[in-house]
């Protein structure tokens, strides 16, 4: 489908809920109206059909996981442990807990409407990121169990996320490292495992899976077909919790509903039962982490990995891109691969990459790359109550995404900061977001051979960076290369001066100008060199040495375009047909930008 045609239809399409029959707390058989506060042209026209497609694909993968579970020989549980050894399940213990995590990750029942799994936003064929091209092109964040509440950021890739350490502040360097989520709010402070704590976020996120109480996960697990596997791994009585009679009604009502009055624990459990439910919630996170750490997800099977072992020879452009990545492009300063970075003419990088411990291509830190505010983000428009009385963003375009800075202040749209000693550093990290691994940044479904438009090949549209403003790898590299050159203009997105082209010769002003990463911005790369770095990034997609698990489940349509008739059919101008003008911006809301310690200088 042509991209412009898709947007044009959005203004007339009739948006209806997809199998969403939520029971409002205390009220049987009610079906809320669809929440649609969006102006015409914001939501993609194919949103309903695409959500339905992804749910069918989720069912396929969940079915495969169930079959794998049933085919596993049961692990051996020794009746008596010899000596001081821990209680290890011998034989298939590893496969069992990884399979349990997979079953949880693809379980649609883990949402009030039983219509949203973790993988609704993270599918294997998209490198465990957003699976709907039209969403990646437009509204960025994915609708949750309530259609059409949506979050504010792009879904991060699950691959290699378990490699991030517990969030810590390095006093010598004055930098934070570790954590999960774009703002690092899954710190790992309690489980000592950021990835497991990340898995505990979406089930109770009001804009995502949306349970009103963490105990709803334990309740739904008692009904899960894979309950015997959970009890095998975590104890035969682990789910023996006597839930109140109204638990189903509560868990079928989305979080944030006015009927709860802000109560974070509307399921009334005794202290003992609440403790048990909390333990189940921890086991939920740890099981999902086991799967995401497994070779089913993070498996080092790219062309780059093959080249380390001499099983693949990079093309001339790929090798040139690799050298630029480690040199003139300065990518290796943050997306480290264990080698030195060549910055000065005449330097020769003679370091080598370890093959026994392949690089993850991240420094595990955070940075502010100076992205413009993206007016297509659905979050800005959620300023009115939905049918449950919930308002997603009362500040509208007064919202500014300060990333880690908001988290350290325990601010709106983030999570509580568990370390009071970190709060003082909030002004130092305003605008910073996690330095994601570049592994699998270019992964697409097999039938969509690239992320780049206008190459003559069908492509899979992605959204890059935390707010999805960048629409191709070419644009991504070009942004790093030219952000602070004469292409920078004091305008907002959609208002580039006549004679310029947004994302090509015009970069709108930065949403958060504080703490800017100045290792990029003026790299002096030629157009050819930019393309060579893109060629190298494409060598980092897993699935080269062996098929990537479940990458065959994509049943959607790749995008195509004709450069002869569409001026935006190129990697440089990709997505420009969907640009909309940013409205006049109010000042940053005081509830965000005046929370102490206040940003310095103030955020406009």
């Amino acid at each position: 489908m042509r991209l412009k045609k898709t947007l044009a239809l959005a203004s007339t399409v009739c948006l209806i809920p997809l199998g969403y029959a939520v029971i409002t707390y205390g009220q049987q058989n009610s079906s809320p109206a669809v929440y649609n506060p969006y102006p015409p042209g914001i939501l993609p026209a194919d949103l309903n059909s695409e959500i339905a497609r992804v749910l069918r694909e989720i069912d396929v993968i969940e079915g495969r996981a169930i079959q794998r579970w049933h085919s596993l020989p049961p692990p051996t549980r020794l009746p008596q442990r010899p000596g001081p050894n821990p209680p290890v399940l011998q034989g298939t213990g590893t496969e069992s807990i990884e399979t349990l995590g997979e079953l949880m990750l693809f379980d649609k029942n883990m949402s009030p409407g039983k219509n949203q799994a973790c993988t609704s936003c993270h599918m294997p064929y998209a490198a465990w990121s957003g699976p709907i091209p039209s969403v990646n092109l437009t509204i960025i964040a994915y609708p949750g169990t309530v259609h059409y509440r949506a979050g504010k950021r792009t879904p991060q890739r699950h691959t290699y996320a378990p490699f991030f350490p517990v969030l810590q502040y390095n006093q010598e360097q004055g930098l934070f490292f570790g954590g999960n989520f774009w703002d690092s709010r899954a710190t790992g402070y309690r489980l000592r495992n950021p990835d497991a704590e990340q898995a505990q976020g979406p089930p109770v996120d009001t804009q995502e899976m949306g349970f009103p109480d963490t105990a709803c996960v334990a309740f739904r697990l008692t009904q899960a077909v894979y309950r015997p596997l959970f009890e095998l791994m975590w104890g035969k009585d682990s789910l023996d919790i006597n839930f109140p009679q109204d638990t189903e009604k509560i868990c079928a009502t989305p979080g944030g509903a006015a009927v709860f009055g802000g109560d974070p624990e509307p399921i009334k459990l005794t202290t003992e039962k609440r403790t048990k439910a909390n333990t189940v919630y921890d086991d939920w996170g740890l099981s999902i982490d086991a799967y995401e750490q497994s070779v089913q997800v993070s498996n080092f099977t790219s062309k780059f990995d093959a080249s380390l072992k001499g099983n693949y020879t990079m093309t001339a452009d790929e090798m040139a891109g690799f050298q630029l990545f480690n040199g003139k492009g300065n990518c290796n300063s943050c997306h480290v691969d264990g080698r030195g970075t060549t910055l000065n003419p005449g330097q020769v990088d003679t370091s080598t990459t370890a093959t026994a411990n392949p690089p993850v291509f991240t420094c595990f830190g955070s940075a502010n790359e100076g992205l413009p505010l993206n007016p297509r983000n659905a979050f800005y428009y959620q300023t009115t109550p939905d049918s449950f009385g919930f308002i997603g963003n009362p500040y509208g375009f007064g919202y500014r995404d300060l990333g880690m800075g908001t988290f350290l202040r325990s601010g709106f749209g983030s999570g509580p900061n568990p370390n009071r000693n970190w709060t003082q550093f909030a002004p130092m990290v305003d605008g910073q977001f996690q330095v994601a691994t570049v592994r699998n940044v270019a992964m697409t479904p097999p039938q969509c051979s690239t992320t780049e438009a206008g190459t003559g090949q069908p492509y899979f549209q992605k959204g890059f960076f935390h707010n999805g403003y960048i629409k191709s790898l070419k644009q991504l590299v070009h942004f790093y290369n030219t952000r602070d050159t004469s292409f920078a203009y004091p305008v907002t997105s959609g208002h580039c001066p006549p004679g310029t082209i947004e994302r090509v010769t015009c970069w709108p002003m930065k949403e958060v100008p504080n703490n800017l990463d100045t290792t990029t911005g003026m790299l002096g790369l030629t157009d050819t060199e930019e393309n060579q770095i893109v060629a190298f990034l494409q060598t980092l997609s897993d699935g080269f040495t062996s098929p990537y698990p479940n990458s065959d489940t994509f049943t959607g349509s790749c995008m195509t375009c004709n450069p002869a008739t569409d001026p935006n059919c190129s990697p440089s101008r990709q997505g420009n047909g969907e640009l909309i003008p940013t409205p006049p911006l109010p000042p940053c809301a005081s509830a965000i930008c005046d929370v102490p310690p206040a940003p310095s200088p103030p955020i406009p």
Side-chain angles (χ1 to χ4, degrees):
M1 180 179 288
R2 288 286 303 280
L3 303 185
K4 281 189 175 180
K5 184 177 180 182
T6 299
L7 246 291
L9 288 173
S11 62
T12 57
V13 68
C14 178
L15 295 170
I16 58 174
L18 284 169
Y20 180 65
V22 167
I23 303 171
T24 305
Y25 180 53
Q27 184 178 8
Q28 293 279 356
N29 301 321
S30 64
S31 184
V34 173
Y35 177 60
N36 186 7
Y38 307 103
I42 298 299
L43 296 179
D46 63 354
L47 184 57
N48 281 333
S49 61
E50 282 290 87
I51 292 173
R53 167 185 65 81
V54 173
L55 291 177
R56 291 193 299 269
E57 295 166 354
I58 287 171
D59 286 341
V60 169
I61 300 176
E62 182 80 343
R64 291 176 178 178
I66 290 173
Q67 289 180 345
R68 184 161 50 256
W69 163 41
H70 288 316
S71 68
L72 279 176
T76 302
R77 183 186 295 276
L78 298 178
Q80 184 175 359
R81 289 182 286 134
N85 294 322
V88 173
L89 294 178
Q90 184 178 335
T92 57
T94 296
E95 293 171 89
S96 294
I97 195 166
E98 291 173 356
T99 300
L100 174 61
E102 182 179 17
L103 288 164
M104 292 174 166
L105 208 60
F106 287 89
D107 189 349
K108 296 185 303 186
N109 295 316
M110 293 301 165
S111 59
K114 299 184 178 181
N115 63 343
Q116 184 92 357
C118 297
T119 48
S120 292
C121 304
H122 307 271
M123 284 294 276
Y125 52 71
W128 298 90
S129 64
I132 301 179
S134 61
V135 170
N136 300 335
L137 185 67
T138 57
I139 62 174
I140 307 308
Y142 278 64
T145 191
V146 175
H147 298 152
Y148 296 95
R149 293 185 191 174
K152 58 186 172 293
R153 297 177 185 146
T154 55
Q156 281 185 286
R157 298 186 299 280
H158 282 175
T159 51
Y160 305 100
F163 290 75
F164 279 71
V166 172
L167 184 65
Q168 56 185 288
Y169 178 71
N170 186 303
Q171 292 184 341
E172 293 301 316
Q173 296 187 45
L175 297 171
F176 283 92
F177 297 95
N180 263 211
F181 284 121
W182 281 113
D183 57 8
S184 299
R185 68 184 184 275
T187 64
Y189 86 102
R190 191 170 62 87
L191 297 180
R192 312 314 290 172
N193 185 327
D195 190 58
E197 291 185 10
Q198 184 279 330
Q200 294 179 316
V204 289
D205 189 304
T206 52
Q207 271 101 325
E208 296 187 36
M209 295 155 77
F211 276 142
D213 191 317
T214 57
C216 290
V217 167
F219 177 70
R220 289 283 172 88
L221 283 172
T222 65
Q223 305 167 355
V225 66
Y226 53 86
R227 174 176 177 167
L229 181 58
F230 185 95
E231 292 174 327
L232 173 68
M233 301 310 302
W234 298 110
K236 63 181 181 180
D237 63 344
S238 53
L239 293 173
D240 291 345
I241 302 172
N242 239 348
F243 285 98
Q245 288 186 348
D246 61 352
T247 300
E248 179 55 45
K249 291 180 181 180
I250 292 172
C251 293
T253 305
V259 69
F260 295 131
D263 185 354
E265 295 181 349
I267 300 175
K268 298 311 170 187
L269 300 172
T270 64
T271 301
E272 181 182 0
K273 292 176 185 175
R274 176 60 64 175
T275 299
K276 200 165 189 177
N278 288 343
T279 300
V280 170
Y281 205 57
D282 289 344
D283 296 340
W284 156 275
L286 292 167
S287 300
I288 288 177
D289 169 69
Y291 176 60
E292 292 180 355
Q293 284 196 43
S294 76
V295 294
Q296 300 292 315
V297 179
S298 305
N299 55 22
F300 298 98
T301 58
S302 69
K303 288 181 178 179
F304 174 79
D305 295 295
S307 73
L308 294 181
K309 299 297 291 183
N311 297 325
Y312 174 74
T313 301
M314 290 192 189
T315 67
D317 280 343
E318 290 168 350
M319 180 54 71
F322 184 33
Q323 293 169 343
L324 289 163
F325 187 94
N326 287 317
K328 185 178 178 181
N330 204 19
C331 315
N332 195 24
S333 291
C334 294
H335 299 284
V336 294
D337 70 343
R339 299 169 63 98
T341 299
T342 305
L343 293 177
N344 300 316
Q347 280 188 313
V348 177
D349 184 3
T350 58
S351 58
T352 58
T353 304
T355 57
N357 185 21
V360 183
F361 287 97
T362 175
C363 62
F364 304 112
S366 297
N368 179 10
E369 297 303 337
L371 272 295
L373 184 148
N374 184 359
R376 271 219 163 268
N377 193 325
F379 191 66
Y380 294 113
Y381 303 95
Q382 298 174 44
T383 57
T384 55
D386 64 13
S387 59
F388 298 98
F390 173 78
I391 300 176
N393 175 18
Y395 310 108
F397 276 90
Y399 174 77
R400 300 290 186 275
D401 198 342
L402 305 186
M404 184 181 278
T406 292
F407 160 58
L408 294 188
R409 296 181 181 92
S410 301
F412 170 76
S414 186
N417 172 5
N419 190 326
R420 62 180 182 178
N421 297 317
W422 292 344
T423 307
Q424 61 185 307
F425 302 121
M428 295 170 38
V429 297
D430 281 325
Q432 290 191 357
F433 295 89
Q434 193 172 83
V435 178
T437 171
V438 292
R439 281 185 175 272
N440 293 317
V441 70
M443 183 185 282
T444 60
Q447 56 268 57
C448 313
S449 52
T450 179
T451 58
E452 313 294 285
T455 61
Q457 305 174 75
Y459 65 97
F460 186 87
Q461 181 64 59
K462 287 193 169 186
F464 299 96
F465 291 110
H466 69 281
N467 69 355
Y469 175 78
I470 299 295
K471 300 303 182 186
S472 72
L473 291 174
K474 170 67 173 179
Q475 289 176 14
L476 183 151
V477 177
H478 187 60
F479 176 72
Y480 278 131
N481 185 26
T482 63
R483 181 196 66 199
D484 297 330
T485 64
S486 60
F487 296 165
Y489 287 90
V491 298
T492 53
S493 178
H495 297 285
C496 282
T500 68
I501 301 173
E502 189 160 341
R503 300 185 176 119
V504 182
T505 56
C506 170
W507 294 116
M509 61 186 184
K510 304 160 182 67
E511 178 180 1
V512 181
N514 303 13
N515 309 306
L516 192 67
D517 175 15
T518 55
T519 61
T520 60
M522 293 186 290
L523 298 176
L525 297 168
T526 66
D527 184 68
T528 297
E529 288 173 332
E530 288 181 356
N531 294 336
Q532 288 171 333
I533 291 177
V534 171
F536 169 66
L537 293 176
Q538 291 169 336
T539 71
L540 295 173
S541 296
D542 287 322
F544 176 71
T545 58
S546 60
Y548 193 75
N550 291 315
S551 62
D552 62 337
T553 54
F554 178 66
T555 57
S557 298
C558 307
M559 287 188 168
T560 59
C561 61
N562 184 352
T565 58
D566 183 357
N568 296 313
C569 183
S570 71
S572 296
R573 296 179 60 165
Q574 192 166 334
N576 275 11
E578 284 63 49
L579 284 170
I580 61 173
T582 304
L585 293 177
C588 178
S590 61
I592 296 163
C593 288
D594 292 338
V595 178
S600 181
I603 305 295

